[in-house]
């Protein structure tokens, strides 16, 4: 049985006071969160150390991005290495989010290096993939996502990727209020699982957690999470309100 994971991606939101306030509310709510669900929050990088030090055991902390450099340290201005994140108590790093692809020109070769940096530092990578609206409308969504996944994960062994988490986030559903239907999510998740089965074997495919992301809300989370190949969610907008994020964590329980 795969454990459900609900992760909150705060993106570039919340000034210091607001961030502390939201974090405190989540910490307070964490005692009532279902034991069966893993919870992660990915705040702006500046807050990671403080959150990692003071979060309750229920809430784990993740970075929204990580350097693709394999060096633990060095003259790479502006970069934060996987090893530095790990040393500060950070457990996860989101890699390849569609906003990184769109605004920072990241591609799956570079994202593969970020995954490699995470593997080396024993940081859990949350690898994001997903098609654009145009790709879906031209019926290329399965092909596009298969290519993303196989490129980013090429050259790794199943063992190296044993901690990997995949997040399927159709670009047309991110921050748009348009959610993929539970059926659309399920068919893509099943295809991703079939793809990683071909790449890494049945045992790996059975174990790997695949999250859905894109306008996930308290009102639709239970239905989406109820699908057999959906193992939780990567939540953007709705993670910025303690009540909504808490409701998504408890969806279906
Ligand atoms: P959203 O973002 O929930 O605001 O659509 C999801 C994401 O980008 O991870």
């Amino acid at each position: 049985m795969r454990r459900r994971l609900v992760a909150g991606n705060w993106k570039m939101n919340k000034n210091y006071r607001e961030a502390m306030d939201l974090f405190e509310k989540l910490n307070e709510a964490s005692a009532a969160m279902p034991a069966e669900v893993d919870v992660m929050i990915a705040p702006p990088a500046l807050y990671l150390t403080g959150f990692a030090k003071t979060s309750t055991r229920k809430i784990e902390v993740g970075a929204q991005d990580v350097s693709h450099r394999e060096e633990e340290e060095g003259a790479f201005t502006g970069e934060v290495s996987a090893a530095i994140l790990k040393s500060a108590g950070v457990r996860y790093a989101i890699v390849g989010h569609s906003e990184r692809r769109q605004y920072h020109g990241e591609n799956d070769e570079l994202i593969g290096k970020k995954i490699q940096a995470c593997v080396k530092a024993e940081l859990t990578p949350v690898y994001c993939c997903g098609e654009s609206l145009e790709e879906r409308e031209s019926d290329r969504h399965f092909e596009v996502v298969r290519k993303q996944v196989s490129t980013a994960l090429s050259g790794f062994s199943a063992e190296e990727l044993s901690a990997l988490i995949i997040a399927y986030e159709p670009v047309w559903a991110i921050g748009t209020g348009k959610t993929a239907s539970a059926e659309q999510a399920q068919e893509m998740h099943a295809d991703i699982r079939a793809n990683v089965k071909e790449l890494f074997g049945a045992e790996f495919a059975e174990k790997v957690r695949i999250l859905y992301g894109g306008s996930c809300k308290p009102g639709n989370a239970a239905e989406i999470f109820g699908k057999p190949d959906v193992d939780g969610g990567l939540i953007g907008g709705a993670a910025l309100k303690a009540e909504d994020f808490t409701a998504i964590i408890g969806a279906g329980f």
Side-chain angles (χ1 to χ4, degrees):
M1 243 333 244
R2 297 180 294 268
R3 277 179 68 79
R4 185 185 294 179
L5 169 66
V6 177
N9 174 10
W10 292 15
K11 309 190 179 182
M12 195 176 73
N13 290 295
K14 303 286 177 192
N15 70 28
Y16 184 74
R17 242 195 33 232
E18 293 163 347
M20 292 306 133
D21 185 51
L22 175 55
F23 177 62
E24 209 168 288
K25 283 188 181 145
L26 292 174
N27 265 342
E28 276 165 20
S30 68
M33 291 172 184
E36 297 87 340
V37 181
D38 292 337
V39 178
M40 182 264 268
I41 54 174
L46 189 62
Y47 309 141
L48 285 170
T49 317
F51 282 17
K53 269 203 189 121
T54 55
S55 65
T56 61
R57 278 185 57 197
K58 181 74 188 166
I59 300 177
E60 294 185 307
V61 176
Q64 295 176 16
D65 186 30
V66 62
S67 174
H68 67 282
R69 306 284 326 183
E70 260 194 75
E71 293 89 343
E72 291 182 10
E73 46 189 37
F76 305 105
T77 300
E79 293 288 88
V80 181
S81 71
I84 289 175
L85 290 170
K86 176 82 180 182
S87 75
V90 174
R91 292 280 310 272
Y92 300 80
I94 298 171
V95 295
H97 190 277
S98 66
E99 288 148 19
R100 301 290 316 169
R101 294 173 187 261
Q102 185 179 353
Y103 302 122
H104 301 271
E106 294 194 8
N107 59 28
D108 284 290
E109 282 79 16
L110 180 88
I111 297 160
K113 289 186 185 162
K114 295 188 175 201
I115 295 172
Q116 174 60 39
C118 289
V119 168
K120 195 173 161 200
E122 296 181 355
L123 199 62
T124 299
V126 180
Y127 166 69
C128 303
C129 54
E131 80 285 359
S132 67
L133 183 60
E134 191 207 330
E135 288 159 347
R136 176 159 286 262
E137 283 177 344
S138 56
D139 209 24
R140 287 167 48 227
H141 44 294
F142 291 117
E143 173 202 327
V144 165
V145 172
R146 275 189 172 245
K147 176 128 194 292
Q148 290 175 335
V149 170
S150 51
T151 307
L153 304 186
S154 85
F156 290 100
S157 67
E159 198 190 344
E160 285 173 314
L161 296 182
S162 60
L164 177 78
I165 291 165
I166 297 174
Y168 168 59
E169 300 204 302
V171 179
W172 48 272
I174 296 179
T176 57
K178 274 193 200 166
T179 322
S181 67
E183 289 69 32
Q184 284 172 321
Q186 167 56 27
E187 64 174 6
M188 181 59 85
H189 282 227
D191 196 65
I192 293 171
R193 207 175 292 287
N195 187 13
V196 295
K197 185 177 174 185
E198 286 162 27
L199 296 168
F200 301 109
E203 197 185 320
F204 180 90
E206 197 43 51
K207 237 186 63 197
V208 69
R209 293 190 282 183
I210 308 177
L211 313 182
Y212 169 79
S215 299
C216 199
K217 298 182 279 280
N220 59 26
E223 195 193 351
I224 296 171
F225 296 170
K227 293 292 177 191
D229 286 298
V230 179
D231 306 309
L234 181 54
I235 319 298
L240 298 173
K241 280 199 196 128
E243 311 72 51
D244 287 357
F245 190 55
T246 305
I248 293 171
I249 291 164
F253 285 95

